[in-house]
Amino acid sequence: MADVAAIARVEAIPSILDVCCRVTGMGFAAVARVTEDRWIACAVRDEIDFGLGVGGELPVRTTLCDEVRDTREVIVFDHAAEDPRYATHHTPLTYGLQSYISMPIIRADGSFFGTLCAIDPRPHRVSKPETIQTFELFAALIAAQLDADERLARSQADLVDERTAAELRDQFIAVLGHDLRNPLAAIQAGTEMLKREDLDPRAAKVVDQMRVSALRMGRLINDVLDFARGRLGGGLPLNAQTGVQLGHTLEQVVGELRSAQGGRAIRTDFALARPVACDPDRIGQLLSNLLANALTHGSPDGEVRVRAVSDADGFELSVTNQGAPISPSARADLFKPFKRLGPGQVREGLGLGLYIASQIAAAHGGVLEVASDSAETRFTFRMPA
C-alpha cells in the first residue's frame, strides 16, 4: 500500500530501527501505520522471531498503538508483570510482552500517521527520559520525511502537468505555423501575378496592400515557428557559414521594408570590411525584426538609421529611430516572449519580434542591447569575431 511505500522511501528508517533496538536492548522495533480499523507494519527490525514482516497486520484493537492514536501520548513500560496498569492488560498478555514503548508519529498538518514502537518478551529499562526523547526525536524525523516526500510528489506531479501542457501548446503553435504557410504562399504568388497585369490605380493599390500584409504575415509565422522550435528543441537552429558577405542580405531586408512602408526614410551606413561567420538568413531576420519594430514604434516623420560594421573585432549591427523613449520598467521585459505594450498603446504582431532577435543574437554568441532616451532609441547587436 501507499503508506508502506512512503516509509520505504525514507532511507534513514533501517538505521532508526537499529538504534531503537540498541538503546533499549529490545529485539523488535517497527514503524506502524495505525488507523481506526488497521495496524500495518511499514518497516520492521525483528531479532526475536516475532513473526511479523513488512505489510503484516495485527488486529488494531489488540494493540496499545490504538490507545496511542486516541491520546497521542507515548505509552511505555519496563516490566509489564510488575506494572499495576499493564500486568493484566490484554496487549502484553496476548503477545507475551514485558517491555514496550510506542511513540506517536504526528504529521505537520496535525494528522496522526502511526507509531514508532519497540517490544520485547524480556523486561528492559525503556522509560528512561533519554530513551523517550530519542524515540520522540526519531518520530518527528519520520513525520518530517513523510511531509517532505509528499511535497516532492506534489511538486513533481504539478511539474509533469505543466510540462505536458507546455509541450502541447508549443506543438499546436508549430502545427498552426506550418498549416498557415501554404495558403500564405498562394496569396503571395497571386499578388505577384496581379502586379504584372495592367491594373487601374485603385486595383494596383489594393494589390500593394495585399502584398504588404502577406509579407507581414510571413514574418509573424516565422516568429511563431521560431518560438516553437526554440521551446521544443532547446534553441534556434542555425545554418552557420564562414566568409559571409552580408551586404546583399542587409540591403535586401531594408529594401523590402522600405517598399512595404511606402518609401519611408531609412538611411543605411554599411562598412563591411571583412566577411562574417554567421547564418546570413538569421542575421537578415534579426535586422527585419529590429527594423520593423523601429518603423512601427518610431516617430512617423523621423528617420530610421541602419548601421553595420565588420572588422577585426567582429560584427556590429544597429537600428536607430526617433520617438518617445522606452521606459526603464519596459526595458526590463523588452526581450521576453509575448511582451505586451502598456495600456492604450497600439500593439502590432505577437510580441515575439524582439524575443526572436535576442535568441538569434544569443545563438551567434553575441548580445542584443537597447539604449533609449528622449533623442533616440537604438538596438545594437554585437558579435565577436
Side-chain angles (χ1 to χ4, degrees):
M1 64 181 298
D3 295 320
V4 174
I7 291 296
R9 287 193 292 271
V10 181
E11 295 181 359
I13 290 292
S15 297
I16 288 175
L17 298 182
D18 179 60
V19 172
C20 288
C21 289
R22 288 178 182 275
V23 299
T24 61
M26 302 165 83
F28 181 93
V31 175
R33 174 70 168 114
V34 184
T35 66
E36 186 177 353
D37 52 7
R38 300 184 76 181
W39 187 104
I40 305 166
C42 297
V44 171
R45 183 178 180 84
D46 186 2
E47 298 174 353
I48 60 173
D49 297 324
F50 187 71
L52 188 69
V54 173
E57 296 195 34
L58 296 176
V60 69
R61 300 292 179 237
T62 68
T63 70
L64 282 166
C65 294
D66 187 43
E67 296 180 25
V68 174
R69 187 183 64 83
D70 289 338
T71 64
R72 300 196 174 198
E73 297 290 339
V74 62
I75 292 179
V76 57
F77 52 83
D78 301 330
H79 194 176
E82 297 180 356
D83 191 308
R85 180 176 179 183
Y86 295 103
T88 59
H89 194 283
H90 64 84
T91 296
L93 294 176
T94 299
Y95 296 108
L97 309 179
Q98 287 301 321
S99 52
Y100 179 93
I101 181 170
S102 181
M103 182 67 66
I105 298 173
I106 310 296
R107 303 284 296 272
D109 62 0
S111 62
F112 179 86
F113 175 83
T115 61
L116 171 64
C117 54
I119 61 173
D120 201 275
R122 298 163 298 175
H124 291 279
R125 284 290 310 278
V126 189
S127 59
K128 294 183 293 185
E130 57 267 31
T131 301
I132 294 174
Q133 288 174 1
T134 299
F135 272 71
E136 189 175 40
L137 176 63
F138 284 157
L141 175 62
I142 292 169
Q145 288 296 309
L146 289 171
D147 291 335
D149 184 70
E150 187 175 283
R151 287 194 299 271
L152 178 61
R154 282 199 303 265
S155 297
Q156 289 175 335
D158 291 344
L159 183 61
V160 168
D161 291 343
E162 200 172 297
R163 185 179 297 135
T164 299
E167 288 177 354
L168 288 173
R169 181 178 63 246
D170 291 344
Q171 288 169 7
F172 170 77
I173 291 173
V175 170
L176 179 63
H178 281 295
D179 288 348
L180 285 174
R181 278 190 161 179
N182 287 338
L184 177 62
I187 293 172
Q188 289 174 321
T191 58
E192 292 301 323
M193 290 178 60
L194 288 171
K195 280 182 64 69
R196 292 194 291 268
E197 299 293 326
D198 186 16
L199 303 175
D200 62 70
R202 182 179 178 183
K205 184 176 181 180
V206 171
V207 171
D208 283 338
Q209 290 174 339
M210 291 173 62
R211 180 171 173 271
V212 170
S213 296
L215 287 172
R216 180 167 172 269
M217 186 179 294
R219 288 197 302 273
L220 292 177
I221 292 173
N222 287 336
D223 285 347
V224 168
L225 289 176
D226 282 336
F227 176 73
R229 288 192 196 104
R231 291 290 295 273
L232 293 172
L236 293 182
L238 292 184
N239 180 24
Q241 304 172 30
T242 58
V244 177
Q245 300 289 346
L246 280 172
H248 175 72
T249 298
L250 302 181
E251 290 286 4
Q252 185 177 22
V253 170
V254 172
E256 287 178 357
L257 285 168
R258 183 183 283 128
S259 174
Q261 292 287 331
R264 179 87 173 269
I266 303 174
R267 182 162 62 86
T268 61
D269 179 13
F270 296 160
L272 303 171
R274 293 196 177 195
V276 180
C278 66
D279 181 337
D281 291 335
R282 288 296 190 187
I283 297 298
Q285 184 182 5
L286 181 148
L287 174 58
S288 179
N289 287 359
L290 295 181
L291 190 50
N293 181 77
L295 292 168
T296 299
H297 300 292
S299 175
D301 55 353
E303 183 182 69
V304 175
R305 301 190 307 277
V306 179
R307 182 175 182 271
V309 176
S310 64
D311 53 27
D313 294 328
F315 174 70
E316 181 178 303
L317 173 67
S318 65
V319 176
T320 306
N321 65 267
Q322 299 169 349
I326 303 171
S327 69
S329 60
R331 265 181 259 173
D333 296 328
L334 204 56
F335 298 114
K336 293 182 179 179
F338 302 115
K339 176 68 183 75
R340 293 182 177 274
L341 300 176
Q345 290 181 276
V346 177
R347 177 173 180 192
E348 300 233 352
L350 298 171
L352 287 174
L354 293 178
Y355 168 75
I356 297 298
S358 70
Q359 294 299 297
I360 293 173
H364 281 85
V367 294
L368 180 61
E369 299 172 329
V370 60
S372 185
D373 55 30
S374 58
E376 63 181 25
T377 294
R378 177 186 294 111
F379 286 87
T380 304
F381 163 57
R382 294 185 181 89
M383 181 179 70

